[in-house]
Amino acid sequence: MTARISFKTLRHAVAKGRHALPAATRAFRRDEHGGATIMALVFFLIMIAAGGIAVDMMRYEMKRAQIQSTLDSAVLASAGAPYGSDHRAIIEDYFRVANMSDYLAAENEEDIVVTVNSASVTAKADMTMSTYLMKLSGIKELRNTGGSTAVRKVPKLEVVLVLDVSGSMGSNSKLVNLKKAAKEFVTSLLNGSEPGNTVISVVPFSWSVSPSVATFEALAVDRKHEFSTCIRFKANDHSHASLATGNSGFSSGQPLDQMIYTALYGNFDEFSGSESSSDYRSCYANDYMEILPFSVSETELHAKIDSLQASGNTSGNQGMIWGAALLDPSFRQITDDLIAAGEVASSQAAIPSNYGTAETLKVAVVMGDGQNTTSYFFSNGGQWRGQNSDLYEVKSQKRVFKYAYRKNKKDKISYDQSKCSNNSWECVYESSGEIESAFYLHDNYGDNRYYNTEEGEWLSSSDWDDLQDSDEFVSMRRLDWEEAWGYMSPYYYYQVTGDPNAYYDYYYYDRLDGSEKDTRMKASCTATKNEGVVVFSIGFEIDQGGTAEQVLKNCASSENHYFRAEGININDAFSAIASNVVNLRLTQ
């Protein structure tokens, strides 16, 4: 806004003031003795005129700035309002609160253009201000017309939620509060964009992360058992955003390591149901722990979040390596298999998109409620890996006596079962019922006995031989160690056989402690940030300034991308992140 004041106008005003002097004053001016006084009077009038200009211009500029600020705030709020809002009413409300409604100009047809995916909002204001001292120079009022435009544009979004569901999340209603906040976050992002333009994945993590069976089968994995789908990653696997599959340039053709499914404690085949062992499982095969990839369905995402359960220790490094992978373009080879398996909609064939794709934003949100803790593994290539474990599976089937016949005289039949004990007779049986399995643990450390894990009874070596010679015997199989640990914990093996070495090997010799997990997690965060992914992190009820907070801060794209949360305030953290994700900018 510009006030139309010129020096010509100012000189005219002074001249006008001079000609208006009374005759007595003009006579006095002609008197030589009044020359100095006349000059002083002229300068005085000039000072009054200049002062008047300064005062009125200051008033004008203050009011102009106030109106412009209100314009900027109003259009920014209006553009950022949810789709379907009364955008003009928001602008009018801002001016009403500022007592400036009279200045707001009428709306033009092209001022507000809103779609599901974007909004452009323009508003104008007209101001007319009466002057005070500038009236002496002939300027009775100052006018200005100002305007402001805000554009909100929601790009295509690829979002991954990396959520801590370790056992501590089960306390203090933390999981309840997380579910509510995460669902509102999902709804906000999906409703703020055109259908299909926002794709969200959910990665729950505790001891480890469980990909779906279709994902696991699409990867190049050195498979050792059929119990679970967890992967054990090497340190170098965290140095890049992609998964080091057998087809990846990072893996040198080496397949990924399948993590052994077992528990530190627990009874035979009771890892998932026993309270003493469920929190100590190395991997979770439950549906609620499984990754949900590339969903555009609010119903599906809400159901996934609602299903989450808290259990186990913390491995944020596992969460981040999977979170980064689900945003990496190389994962598209897995997407094809997920579509074929019916786990992902065919419309997501191009997801994850290439880094740097126009109008596409990749976002990772990682939430943790504590620091990373120690995980346990059997030593690679050690005594407790590979073939010929001490666990055997014996299959049997009940049989019913049909008849006996005299050897070499099959036509001589008897229905007397006692004939079976006579060597001259052969008995014929008919199978009855299903084939049943029983597991026997060999006490190779002690007195060479075999323990029936279901009955809790011991068989001597001779009884073991007789078992294989019985009429109901079908087959016997000696399990590999990787499969055996899927049925029993190393502590259970110790309790039954008295041999502590497997437990010691698992607990002590190949641990991955919290500090190393922190290092690996940081590497995964850095790798995905280097590809342009925006990483937000949330510290949920963690110690301020502690290790967990520092790790989460380091993971975020900046300190401004990190949020602390307590109790139900976690909803505020997710809401703030949702607002940040929307690309809201003032264009003029």
Side-chain angles (χ1 to χ4, degrees):
M1 175 161 46
T2 304
R4 299 176 179 83
I5 303 174
S6 67
F7 286 110
K8 182 178 178 180
T9 302
L10 186 59
R11 287 197 302 270
H12 173 73
V14 174
K16 182 179 178 181
R18 183 177 69 245
H19 294 310
L21 292 173
T25 304
R26 292 198 300 272
F28 178 75
R29 183 191 63 187
R30 289 194 295 270
D31 189 338
E32 293 180 359
H33 298 291
T37 304
I38 292 301
M39 288 298 294
L41 183 59
V42 171
F43 281 116
F44 176 69
L45 290 173
I46 293 173
M47 290 173 65
I48 289 177
I53 293 173
V55 170
D56 283 330
M57 287 302 296
M58 181 175 65
R59 291 175 52 236
Y60 162 81
E61 182 57 29
M62 289 177 62
K63 179 61 70 173
R64 185 204 67 80
Q66 187 178 5
I67 292 174
Q68 189 64 46
S69 176
T70 304
L71 269 175
D72 291 346
S73 298
V75 297
L76 196 63
S78 178
Y83 179 71
S85 301
D86 189 338
H87 296 272
R88 178 65 183 184
I90 294 172
I91 295 171
E92 292 173 349
D93 189 55
Y94 266 75
F95 275 80
R96 179 185 59 78
V97 171
N99 290 321
M100 293 183 178
S101 296
D102 293 340
Y103 298 119
L104 183 61
E107 178 185 355
N108 293 321
E109 183 177 353
E110 69 277 6
D111 283 349
I112 298 177
V113 180
V114 178
T115 68
V116 176
N117 206 43
S118 65
S120 176
V121 178
T122 297
K124 298 180 179 66
D126 297 321
M127 179 187 78
T128 300
M129 188 185 77
S130 297
T131 61
Y132 292 157
L133 297 178
M134 287 180 71
K135 290 179 180 178
L136 296 176
S137 61
I139 301 175
K140 295 181 180 181
E141 58 185 26
L142 298 173
R143 295 180 179 179
N144 178 64
T145 298
S148 186
T149 299
V151 173
R152 174 182 67 88
K153 190 162 189 180
V154 181
K156 290 185 177 181
L157 294 175
E158 294 176 27
V159 180
V160 59
L161 294 175
V162 181
L163 305 178
D164 185 348
V165 288
S166 58
S168 55
M169 284 294 294
S171 63
N172 201 28
S173 299
K174 284 192 285 187
L175 190 58
V176 174
N177 294 330
L178 167 65
K179 290 179 179 180
K180 181 177 183 295
K183 287 192 295 183
E184 290 183 9
F185 175 82
V186 164
T187 297
S188 176
L189 291 190
L190 292 178
N191 289 349
S193 64
E194 294 179 0
N197 274 7
T198 294
V199 180
I200 301 176
S201 302
V202 180
V203 180
F205 71 89
S206 59
W207 281 105
S208 54
V209 170
S210 298
S212 67
V213 172
T215 300
F216 179 80
E217 291 180 345
L219 294 170
V221 181
D222 183 14
R223 304 180 191 184
K224 298 294 186 181
H225 61 80
E226 302 295 331
F227 292 108
S228 61
T229 60
C230 295
I231 304 295
R232 183 183 179 186
F233 296 100
K234 302 177 179 66
N236 185 58
D237 294 331
H238 296 266
S239 64
H240 44 83
S242 67
L243 286 182
T245 70
N247 298 321
S248 167
F250 296 106
S251 67
S252 301
Q254 296 300 313
L256 295 169
D257 242 350
Q258 184 180 19
M259 187 180 293
I260 289 179
Y261 175 80
T262 192
L264 188 60
Y265 304 107
N267 296 321
F268 191 86
D269 203 20
E270 288 187 1
F271 300 156
S272 60
S274 171
E275 291 184 3
S276 63
S277 63
S278 61
D279 281 349
Y280 291 93
R281 277 182 286 171
S282 59
C283 176
Y284 290 77
N286 310 78
D287 290 343
Y288 62 80
M289 280 289 193
E290 194 172 285
I291 293 173
L292 173 63
F294 311 140
S295 179
V296 294
S297 166
E298 180 182 23
T299 300
E300 183 181 41
L301 286 161
H302 280 200
K304 177 63 189 178
I305 293 168
D306 276 330
S307 74
L308 297 177
Q309 296 183 31
S311 187
N313 277 14
T314 308
S315 298
N317 56 309
Q318 281 266 337
M320 274 312 302
I321 198 171
W322 278 103
L326 286 164
L327 296 173
D328 189 85
S330 67
F331 205 87
R332 281 203 298 270
Q333 61 182 317
I334 310 301
T335 304
D336 293 339
D337 291 270
L338 297 180
I339 292 173
E343 291 188 11
V344 170
S346 58
S347 59
Q348 306 309 313
I351 301 296
S353 62
N354 291 335
Y355 293 122
T357 300
E359 301 297 337
T360 298
L361 180 65
K362 293 176 181 280
V363 176
V365 181
V366 54
M367 186 285 302
D369 81 323
Q371 64 190 64
N372 290 315
T373 50
T374 301
S375 291
Y376 312 100
F377 305 95
F378 286 107
S379 300
N380 277 324
Q383 176 184 353
W384 313 107
R385 300 290 301 269
Q387 299 179 341
N388 298 324
S389 76
D390 291 333
L391 187 65
Y392 295 79
E393 181 184 20
V394 175
K395 291 185 177 182
S396 60
Q397 187 177 35
K398 291 181 180 179
R399 300 199 298 172
V400 177
F401 173 75
K402 289 187 68 178
Y403 61 88
Y405 65 89
R406 188 71 177 260
K407 290 181 179 180
N408 300 318
K409 293 183 179 182
K410 194 169 183 179
D411 291 340
K412 190 171 181 65
I413 294 176
S414 172
Y415 294 97
D416 181 4
Q417 191 172 0
S418 64
K419 299 286 186 180
C420 297
S421 58
N422 190 321
N423 291 333
S424 299
W425 289 81
E426 189 75 31
C427 290
V428 176
Y429 296 88
E430 185 177 63
S431 298
S432 174
E434 298 180 353
I435 295 177
E436 299 179 350
S437 289
F439 290 90
Y440 292 83
L441 183 56
H442 184 203
D443 181 10
N444 196 36
Y445 185 75
D447 50 10
N448 198 29
R449 295 183 301 168
Y450 294 81
Y451 183 74
N452 186 315
T453 60
E454 183 177 357
E455 303 294 337
E457 297 176 348
W458 287 96
L459 295 181
S460 66
S461 56
S462 60
D463 290 337
W464 173 253
D465 293 337
D466 291 341
L467 179 67
Q468 298 178 65
D469 291 333
S470 68
D471 292 331
E472 296 184 355
F473 177 81
V474 174
S475 65
M476 185 272 289
R477 181 174 68 93
R478 188 175 185 179
L479 280 62
D480 293 342
W481 280 111
E482 286 80 6
E483 188 177 5
W485 295 126
Y487 288 102
M488 61 182 181
S489 68
Y491 190 74
Y492 175 85
Y493 179 84
Y494 170 35
Q495 286 181 309
V496 172
T497 66
D499 185 353
N501 291 302
Y503 177 78
Y504 291 157
D505 182 277
Y506 185 72
Y507 190 76
Y508 291 110
Y509 295 131
D510 199 7
R511 301 162 62 125
L512 184 63
D513 62 24
S515 177
E516 176 60 22
K517 287 182 179 180
D518 294 345
T519 300
R520 295 187 181 190
M521 180 175 173
K522 181 179 180 180
S524 287
C525 294
T526 299
T528 197
K529 287 187 292 187
N530 286 344
E531 299 289 359
V533 174
V534 180
V535 180
F536 294 92
S537 62
I538 302 173
F540 192 18
E541 297 189 10
I542 60 177
D543 293 336
Q544 190 163 1
T547 299
E549 181 166 73
Q550 193 57 53
V551 169
L552 288 167
K553 279 186 176 181
N554 289 339
C555 187
S557 291
S558 74
E559 285 205 7
N560 292 331
H561 290 76
Y562 168 73
F563 298 84
R564 283 185 58 83
E566 301 287 337
I568 60 174
N569 289 335
I570 192 172
N571 192 66
D572 296 335
F574 273 101
S575 296
I577 293 172
S579 298
N580 274 275
V581 167
V582 176
N583 182 19
L584 185 59
R585 65 188 185 274
L586 208 60
T587 59
Q588 67 177 51

